[in-house]
C-alpha cells in the first residue's frame, strides 16, 4: 500500500453536517475554514487516541490494541485536549 | 434518523483507516471493538466541540462559527493550539495566493465531494 500518497482525513462535508447536527440553534452556521480546521482537529484527536492506545498495548506486551488499552488512556486524552473527563465506557 | 447513522458510519470509516495506518506503522493491529470505541468517542467529542463553538460565536454576536472560535476550542492544549494556528495561517495563505493569481476562484466552501465511503 502507498505510504503518504493519500492523506487520510475527514471529509469536509461530513464534519460540516456532523457539527451542524449538534448545534442548539438552527441559525448557527459553520464557515468553510472553520470546518476545515475542525476536520484537522478531529483527525488529531483520533491519532492521539490511537497512538496512545497503541503505546499502552505495547507497555502491556499485547499483540493487539484493544478496548481496555483505549479505556486506560482515554481520561488523560480527553482532559489534555478539552479539560474535561466526562467519558467512560 | 438515517442522516446521523450515515455520519457515524463516515466517522467510523475514517477512524478505521487512521487506526489501520497507525497499526501498520507500529505493527500492532487495532481490534474492531477498539476502532468502534474510538469512533464513538470521536463522535461524542464532536458534540462537545459543536456546543463550545456555538457558544463562542454567540458570545461574539455572530451566528457563523469562524476560525477564531475553533482556536478557542483548542485552547486547552498548547500543542493543539499551535497546530491549529499554523493550519489556520496555511489556509489564509492559500487563499491569498489564489487571489493573487487573479483566478477569482475562492476555495469553494461547499464542494460537492465524492462521498463514496
Amino acid at each position: 500500500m502507498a505510504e503518504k500518497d493519500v492523506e487520510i482525513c475527514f471529509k469536509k462535508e461530513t464534519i460540516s453536517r456532523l457539527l451542524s447536527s449538534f448545534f442548539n440553534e438552527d441559525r448557527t452556521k459553520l464557515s468553510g475554514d472553520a470546518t476545515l480546521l475542525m476536520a484537522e482537529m478531529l483527525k488529531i484527536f483520533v491519532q492521539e487516541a490511537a497512538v496512545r492506545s497503541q503505546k499502552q498495548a505495547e507497555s502491556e506486551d499485547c499483540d493487539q490494541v484493544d478496548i481496555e488499552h483505549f479505556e486506560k488512556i482515554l481520561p488523560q486524552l480527553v482532559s489534555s485536549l478539552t479539560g474535561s473527563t466526562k467519558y467512560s465506557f | 434518523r438515517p442522516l446521523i447513522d450515515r455520519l457515524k458510519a463516515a466517522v467510523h470509516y475514517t477512524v478505521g483507516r487512521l487506526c489501520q495506518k497507525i497499526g501498520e506503522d507500529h505493527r500492532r493491529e487495532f481490534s474492531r471493538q477498539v476502532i468502534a470505541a474510538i469512533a464513538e468517542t470521536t463522535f461524542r467529542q464532536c458534540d462537545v466541540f459543536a456546543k463550545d463553538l456555538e457558544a463562542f460565536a454567540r458570545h461574539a454576536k455572530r451566528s457563523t462559527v469562524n476560525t477564531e472560535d475553533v482556536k478557542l476550542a483548542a485552547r486547552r492544549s498548547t500543542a493543539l493550539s499551535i497546530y491549529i494556528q499554523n493550519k489556520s495561517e496555511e489556509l489564509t495563505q492559500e487563499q491569498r495566493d489564489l487571489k493573487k493569481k487573479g483566478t477569482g476562484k475562492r476555495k469553494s466552501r461547499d464542494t460537492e465531494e465524492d462521498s463514496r465511503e
Side-chain angles (χ1 to χ4, degrees), chain A residues 61-79:
Chain A
D61 247 325
C62 294
D63 288 336
Q64 202 185 39
V65 185
D66 218 327
I67 282 206
E68 65 261 22
H69 306 127
F70 175 55
E71 280 179 338
K72 283 174 185 165
I73 61 94
L74 184 56
Q76 187 82 14
L77 172 70
V78 177
S79 71

Side-chain angles (χ1 to χ4, degrees), chain B residues 35-53:
Chain B
I35 289 173
I38 294 174
E40 179 65 27
T41 304
T42 304
F43 186 79
R44 288 193 216 168
Q45 191 58 42
C46 284
D47 190 0
V48 175
F49 282 140
K51 300 293 197 291
D52 278 356
L53 292 171

